[in-house]
Amino acid sequence: MIDKDILQNFIKRSFAEDVGTGDITTISTVPQGTKITGKFIAKETGIICGLDIAKTVFDYTDSEIKLSFDFSDGDLVKKGDIIGEISGEAISVLTGERLALNLMQRLSGIATNTNEAVKKISDYKAKIVDTRKTTPGLRVFEKYAVKTGGGHNHRFNLADGILIKDNHIKAAGSIAKAVQGAKDNAPHTLKIEVEVESIDQMNEALDAGADIIMLDNMDNATMTKAVEINAGRAILEASGNMGEKDLQSVAKTGIDIISIGALTHSVKALDISLKFN
Amino acid sequence: MIDKDILQNFIKRSFAEDVGTGDITTISTVPQGTKITGKFIAKETGIICGLDIAKTVFDYTDSEIKLSFDFSDGDLVKKGDIIGEISGEAISVLTGERLALNLMQRLSGIATNTNEAVKKISDYKAKIVDTRKTTPGLRVFEKYAVKTGGGHNHRFNLADGILIKDNHIKAAGSIAKAVQGAKDNAPHTLKIEVEVESIDQMNEALDAGADIIMLDNMDNATMTKAVEINAGRAILEASGNMGEKDLQSVAKTGIDIISIGALTHSVKALDISLKFN
Amino acid sequence: MIDKDILQNFIKRSFAEDVGTGDITTISTVPQGTKITGKFIAKETGIICGLDIAKTVFDYTDSEIKLSFDFSDGDLVKKGDIIGEISGEAISVLTGERLALNLMQRLSGIATNTNEAVKKISDYKAKIVDTRKTTPGLRVFEKYAVKTGGGHNHRFNLADGILIKDNHIKAAGSIAKAVQGAKDNAPHTLKIEVEVESIDQMNEALDAGADIIMLDNMDNATMTKAVEINAGRAILEASGNMGEKDLQSVAKTGIDIISIGALTHSVKALDISLKFN
Amino acid sequence: MIDKDILQNFIKRSFAEDVGTGDITTISTVPQGTKITGKFIAKETGIICGLDIAKTVFDYTDSEIKLSFDFSDGDLVKKGDIIGEISGEAISVLTGERLALNLMQRLSGIATNTNEAVKKISDYKAKIVDTRKTTPGLRVFEKYAVKTGGGHNHRFNLADGILIKDNHIKAAGSIAKAVQGAKDNAPHTLKIEVEVESIDQMNEALDAGADIIMLDNMDNATMTKAVEINAGRAILEASGNMGEKDLQSVAKTGIDIISIGALTHSVKALDISLKFN
Amino acid sequence: MIDKDILQNFIKRSFAEDVGTGDITTISTVPQGTKITGKFIAKETGIICGLDIAKTVFDYTDSEIKLSFDFSDGDLVKKGDIIGEISGEAISVLTGERLALNLMQRLSGIATNTNEAVKKISDYKAKIVDTRKTTPGLRVFEKYAVKTGGGHNHRFNLADGILIKDNHIKAAGSIAKAVQGAKDNAPHTLKIEVEVESIDQMNEALDAGADIIMLDNMDNATMTKAVEINAGRAILEASGNMGEKDLQSVAKTGIDIISIGALTHSVKALDISLKFN
Amino acid sequence: MIDKDILQNFIKRSFAEDVGTGDITTISTVPQGTKITGKFIAKETGIICGLDIAKTVFDYTDSEIKLSFDFSDGDLVKKGDIIGEISGEAISVLTGERLALNLMQRLSGIATNTNEAVKKISDYKAKIVDTRKTTPGLRVFEKYAVKTGGGHNHRFNLADGILIKDNHIKAAGSIAKAVQGAKDNAPHTLKIEVEVESIDQMNEALDAGADIIMLDNMDNATMTKAVEINAGRAILEASGNMGEKDLQSVAKTGIDIISIGALTHSVKALDISLKFN
């Protein structure tokens, strides 16, 4: 569920970007009062996402447009499926079309990709989560698509999660100092996560009282060892080019979480089109 | 060259998205006054894009950060290359890092991809151009990356180009009516482009006085024929899943322009990292 | 047709300007619940413009205000005509009155003035068009008024038309270089217009491949000659203090377009008042 | 002196309006790094206004532009005078030119017009003041131009002055009730002004305790009588199409203030141009 | 009556502050579709204020929430009173709860405090007024609460009242110079108020033509004398830590107005809670 | 450390609120170019807070104002202390004065009050924390003041902490269901806090796996028992009108955290003044 205001502001800004001073083609060629009906068609198979967002887009353009979908976010659509139908003033539909499609295609691409990852590790306890490697301005939408595809969300921004990375450790002086700083200064409502590159660093983080350990770019053997040593004390998160790894073998190590930047930084849009009848 | 205001507003909004009420990890763990130096490193080979934007991002975070690059937008960077160096207040660099990297990685991914397409057809007159299938909120940035990769830009929004598509033709009644509407009502400063699906439609568009014809999803044989019939009257643009076509054979048909939605709707980020010394 | 969002933002901002922290006179003197009816009266003869905008203004103030007009934008109203009737909560009507009148009066002034120009040259093919000499913040409204008066629109901003003027030519080095730059770098969807001050410059622009030639401050004899030489190759636009010229004799030269800055930079408002019954 | 923030916001918004996604002509035709010098030239005689605003406009575009004026706001410039000189990056100057000129021309037009009115009544005590009939979005600028021309300002918005007009009186029931409402409910820091159409109404307003009386559309004889009856109790303000009246004879009646809507609602721009050397 | 736009913008901004990227507790724990009913309960006795504002808050969250109050702004509520009832989607109510309560509690605290001051001096002609010592961003709301409690409003901002204070007098050179400056340069619609610290300064201000005299931190004996000397010429306003003075004895001096900064700068919230049934 | 952008936006908005169309008193009475020096003086003893914010306020008004403080945020100032000195253009200082003082006074009031609470329980391990009962629009500032006074921060908004309250429990069905929902749906980076009203509820929350337990309105005996039963498993937070409780006896129960709404909802400003020399 995306915050109503964030969605409205996003649509307003995106329309301003796409429409400029006016949709000159549509205004010049289509008489006011022309009514149309049309269909949204899946040109590829995948997990659909962004249907409610598309409704809000068209409602924003013209509150009298009727739009009904035969699927819900998270459903599988197959190539050729009619996803839904639209009817209303032609000028309004034409003006809103591109933004709605751009969003549906991108979010469905993310959901589809996430879902493939989730299915691969369904026999293990590990969860697939996203990262902050999202497109600037689209974070809540892209994280929504990850959830729609069956994944989970890591922190939304720098304020709602503590993640001490290599550069923080260098700047703070040591893992111990960084964790102590977080304990002293950050709200008690946030868990403390530390990124480590070795078993030694993991031990240092556990001793300092980290709640979550991010195992950065470790091979599976090392992660298996990390799981044993941790013995359930902290949550363990595997990270580092996970988009290119064999996820099953990663999950098999027993880690709790696999975070994948590629879910949002390298997206292949799902092809969807709108055809007037 | 991206408009200064659009860039500033974008950075402001993107920081608000990423920082929220504050970078709690950095503030809690790194003492004010800690100075660092670090390097931007290419983890993959490709065309670099977004260096000036990254400078603006860090300048926005803290105008005392020093950032120097050994490359310029459009240059080829190879895996392992040190792209540039940064120094300044650790807190500021850590807070700006993710936004700068997210932008550089995405734009470099687009430039790299565009450049591959451009190189493929370098023996032909056809130009590679983008579309409006961009990420909402990032259009001017993504179109800049296309140019950086050697491509050209199609219209930026619905106000600065006339493109009569199949749905407009249906709503207007015919190609002839739609083109006449554009001539009567739109500014005389814009060319009139018509999307056609057949040679017959092309002839209708040419008769109506179209300046540009978009050949939608035609096979190469049909496009070759279209080029002959057009005989230089209108600009011819090939379109429709061009991201998956053999671009050389398309260019060989003699068309003037190839527009590729995938340049911006399906992007693979170029991996770049920032490491503190 | 003005973009819905641009209109809403404009009204919002204009109300903030006019109302400040509140309409203290109305709030202090008129009891809540007082209902009124009133009439909009033309105090001068002219072309009415801004009726839908006025409706949006009052709808914004209070969605329960009823407002019906007996005229449409573009109609001739005569001194003394009752343009429309309003009824509703007195406080709301009083608060919205000034903004609605300021807009109607200004836009009707522009439409009236444009219409006089259009009628003068009705025997010729030339079109009357506006310029970018509009009031900052009101461009789309003022250009709408020009269309309402029977004129046409030149480009809306610096992004949706290419117009190479004397200062560009000086900075670029020559007409040929400037036109070539536009061909290489600007989207292929825009025509290229060049401002010239002599027949020689016109020839240079035609040779370079300009689509439109703006004849700046030429006398009628020179323009007649320009029309002959051009022989239909480019669109010819007469420009330069056209507000003070004999438009009929200008149109008679055979040029295609007459652009008049005074349509929007020197406006005489049409007097309209609102009287409560 | 215009509030810094209001000016910055106005310029930002006006540039967005004029530049859109970018000044495509300038970017495409002028090489980065091209430096120019140029002159602002008065093409008509009048009172110059907006020089500091123009400086802020160009400073906003590019803080390295140098701009020096040989006149100050309020000075008389004669046809042919060189008002000032500009130098800097050609691209920046070309992009800022139109907005700067649009503002200078409009504000100088208002100042010139106001100054003519002020000079006409210089032998009398009456002051020339403006109204709320300003262009939406430009109020503080237009009121600044009125002051620059030697006029004075009426209230800036509905919150900083009480003006009970005919429609308020109808809605409130009577002048007495309306004035009492203002006394009871409005801040004690504001004077109470009442618009009257007859000597009887004036007497009613004076009895109610009005501080200022606006004499609406009265002939000079009635106003002379009003001045006698008032005997210095309230400030008297003449109003109603004053732009078309013989101001000297109005001032001669002895009223204190003449308010003229046409100063801002019907403006003739003063012609100013920028020529590169 | 608070300006509709100011209220909407305030709520929008306040929600963004409180909700961030989403009410993660509510979204995660409460199933969509869960309906609740609940009661607003006064946990202390006082003057209620902000009921319409609370309605707008919940209407903003979800326009289908039903909210009915048994009291109106300005009414006395007693400890334990049920102020009103709410019903609707649980998620929406939970998300809006804190903002609505924060506002109601604060504004009711101000109204209650103001009302105590007003009642204390009900036997005298003096009015209780507020100051500009309000919380940044909440001025119109806090001034509304002062009115709701029976007080009156001083100026709303620096533009709608002239108040010459000690620092202005020092900068201007003298009271006489400062008052003359205001007469020459400020709109004639504003009264001129001067802050004085002695009877001598009061005489100087009266001679200069001040409309209102603010008696700053004077003891009651001096104020009594000031009232005599003034003899009804100017409005007299007592000021300076009035929140800690014996208001009855101040009012007894015969001054017209008592302005109290503490009404808004030192507020004790009135305790109100929302309990689901 | 307050996020730079949040501070700038806040100051911009607050100035717009306070200045309106312009500081008419200052502009009208003080000649441009008048320079002043002045002192900030503590009129009461307390913990100073907001000095850097005040610097940013004056820097925003006029970057040439010099402002130096002899104290830092968190220092004790005594009645009569000169806190700092200011010098610069009189007009700028007068325009910025009120906003700077309003902020310093309010934040210092909060810091002073917090510090009293912190000192009271300095012999115990319990920390003083704030709540979301802050003034809308000022949250980050008020939470900064709490830290400056020696307190700690609870969550900043609904997105960066999970707090399951009585109304959530009712809507979810039970504590167990609510906690499970949070575990399934919320990011793994957030701790889960549950508000309980009895030992039974505490046990239920502990069994469900809550990380933090808020003990709502419990007497000290019950809290002592809760500490024993908890045996270090969850963090324990005392809450409910803590502003009116004997904090020492609360801390003595052994709880970890005491959260006090009154720190921010019922603030007494610390009196500070600015006097020109």
Side-chain angles (χ1 to χ4, degrees), chain A residues 80-153:
Chain A
D81 278 352
I82 294 173
I83 304 169
E85 306 223 332
I86 192 166
S87 62
E89 178 77 28
I91 290 178
S92 308
V93 174
L94 284 161
T95 302
E97 174 186 354
R98 184 75 268 139
L99 178 56
L101 287 176
N102 277 356
L103 285 168
M104 289 166 78
Q105 294 190 155
R106 176 173 193 81
L107 300 184
S108 299
I110 294 174
T112 300
N113 208 22
T114 303
N115 195 247
E116 281 162 21
V118 168
K119 281 188 301 191
K120 274 185 201 146
I121 63 162
S122 61
D123 292 342
Y124 302 92
K125 71 169 175 191
K127 290 176 175 182
I128 298 292
V129 311
D130 49 33
T131 67
R132 274 170 53 242
K133 294 181 178 174
T134 55
T135 315
L138 278 79
R139 185 163 293 163
V140 296
F141 303 100
E142 296 185 344
K143 282 183 171 269
Y144 169 75
V146 167
K147 273 203 117 170
T148 299
H152 288 78
N153 298 139

Side-chain angles (χ1 to χ4, degrees), chain C:
Chain C
M1 221 172 68
I2 290 168
D3 180 67
K4 196 181 67 167
D5 262 352
I6 295 178
L7 179 54
Q8 284 291 326
N9 288 340
F10 176 79
I11 290 176
K12 194 180 177 90
R13 219 162 47 222
S14 301
F15 260 115
E17 180 190 62
D18 194 37
V19 174
T21 52
D23 178 355
I24 192 71
T25 307
T26 302
I27 295 171
S28 299
T29 64
V30 179
Q32 269 189 280
T34 309
K35 304 294 178 189
I36 60 89
T37 60
K39 289 183 185 63
F40 287 91
I41 301 162
K43 309 288 280 288
E44 290 182 277
T45 294
I47 302 296
I48 194 76
C49 182
L51 298 179
D52 288 338
I53 294 173
K55 276 190 182 167
T56 313
V57 166
F58 281 109
D59 188 56
Y60 182 85
T61 320
D62 176 350
S63 60
E64 305 203 346
I65 289 175
K66 304 281 181 221
L67 179 52
S68 66
F69 289 117
D70 301 318
F71 292 87
S72 298
D73 278 6
D75 286 352
L76 180 78
V77 297
K78 291 192 183 149
K79 186 174 177 176
D81 277 353
I82 294 172
I83 303 169
E85 307 224 332
I86 192 166
S87 62
E89 178 77 29
I91 290 178
S92 307
V93 175
L94 284 160
T95 302
E97 174 186 354
R98 184 76 269 140
L99 177 56
L101 286 176
N102 277 356
L103 284 168
M104 290 165 77
Q105 295 189 155
R106 176 173 193 82
L107 298 185
S108 299
I110 292 174
T112 301
N113 208 21
T114 303
N115 194 248
E116 280 163 22
V118 169
K119 282 189 300 191
K120 274 185 200 146
I121 62 162
S122 61
D123 292 342
Y124 303 93
K125 71 170 176 192
K127 290 177 175 179
I128 297 292
V129 311
D130 49 33
T131 67
R132 274 171 53 242
K133 294 181 179 174
T134 55
T135 316
L138 279 78
R139 186 163 292 163
V140 296
F141 303 99
E142 296 185 345
K143 282 183 171 269
Y144 170 74
V146 167
K147 272 204 117 170
T148 299
H152 289 78
N153 298 140
H154 207 289
R155 61 179 175 170
F156 275 69
N157 59 38
L158 292 166
D160 66 358
I162 297 171
L163 174 43
I164 298 169
K165 309 192 78 172
D166 55 343
N167 287 339
H168 292 100
I169 296 167
K170 279 181 193 154
S174 71
I175 287 176
K177 280 187 191 163
V179 172
Q180 192 58 42
K183 284 188 172 176
D184 290 346
N185 301 313
H188 63 284
T189 57
L190 298 172
K191 287 185 190 151
I192 296 174
E193 176 164 10
V194 180
E195 182 191 54
V196 303
E197 287 165 13
S198 67
I199 297 291
D200 281 357
Q201 281 196 316
M202 182 180 82
N203 284 326
E204 199 180 339
L206 286 170
D207 289 349
D211 299 299
I212 314 172
I213 309 281
M214 174 182 281
L215 307 171
D216 185 42
N217 265 316
M218 288 188 185
D219 58 32
N220 291 345
T222 312
M223 286 199 282
T224 305
K225 196 172 151 197
V227 170
E228 279 173 33
I229 293 171
N230 178 57
R233 281 177 289 174
I235 297 171
L236 296 188
E237 175 176 339
S239 175
N241 289 317
M242 285 291 150
E244 298 161 16
K245 297 276 170 67
D246 171 11
L247 293 177
Q248 255 185 319
S249 68
V250 172
K252 209 173 174 178
T253 63
I255 48 80
D256 302 293
I257 283 174
I258 303 174
S259 56
I260 311 179
L263 291 183
T264 54
H265 75 52
S266 294
V267 176
K268 195 191 155 303
L270 191 80
D271 199 2
I272 300 168
S273 76
L274 169 60
K275 285 286 167 193
F276 284 6
N277 297 334

Side-chain angles (χ1 to χ4, degrees), chain C residues 21, chain D residues 3 5-6, chain E residues 131-140 143 155-161, chain F residues 10-26 57-58 60-61 92-103:
Chain C
T21 52
Chain D
D3 179 67
D5 261 354
I6 295 179
Chain E
T131 67
R132 273 171 53 243
K133 294 181 179 175
T134 56
T135 315
L138 280 79
R139 186 162 292 164
V140 296
K143 283 184 170 268
R155 61 180 175 167
F156 276 69
N157 58 38
L158 291 167
D160 66 358
Chain F
F10 177 79
I11 290 177
K12 195 179 176 94
R13 220 160 49 222
S14 300
F15 260 115
E17 179 190 62
D18 194 37
V19 175
T21 51
D23 179 356
I24 193 70
T25 306
T26 302
V57 166
F58 281 109
Y60 182 84
T61 319
S92 307
V93 175
L94 284 160
T95 303
E97 175 186 353
R98 184 76 269 140
L99 177 56
L101 286 175
N102 277 357
L103 284 168

Side-chain angles (χ1 to χ4, degrees), chain D residues 37 67 71 93 98 110 141 152 159 185 191:
Chain D
T37 60
L67 179 52
F71 293 86
V93 174
R98 184 75 269 141
I110 293 174
F141 303 99
H152 289 78
N185 300 315
K191 288 185 190 151

Side-chain angles (χ1 to χ4, degrees), chain D residues 166-216:
Chain D
D166 56 343
N167 286 340
H168 291 102
I169 295 167
K170 280 181 192 154
S174 72
I175 287 175
K177 280 187 190 165
V179 172
Q180 193 57 43
K183 284 188 172 176
D184 290 346
N185 300 315
H188 63 283
T189 57
L190 299 172
K191 288 185 190 151
I192 297 173
E193 177 165 8
V194 181
E195 182 192 54
V196 303
E197 288 166 9
S198 67
I199 296 291
D200 280 358
Q201 280 197 318
M202 181 180 84
N203 283 325
E204 198 179 339
L206 285 169
D207 288 351
D211 299 300
I212 314 172
I213 308 282
M214 176 184 279
L215 306 170
D216 184 42

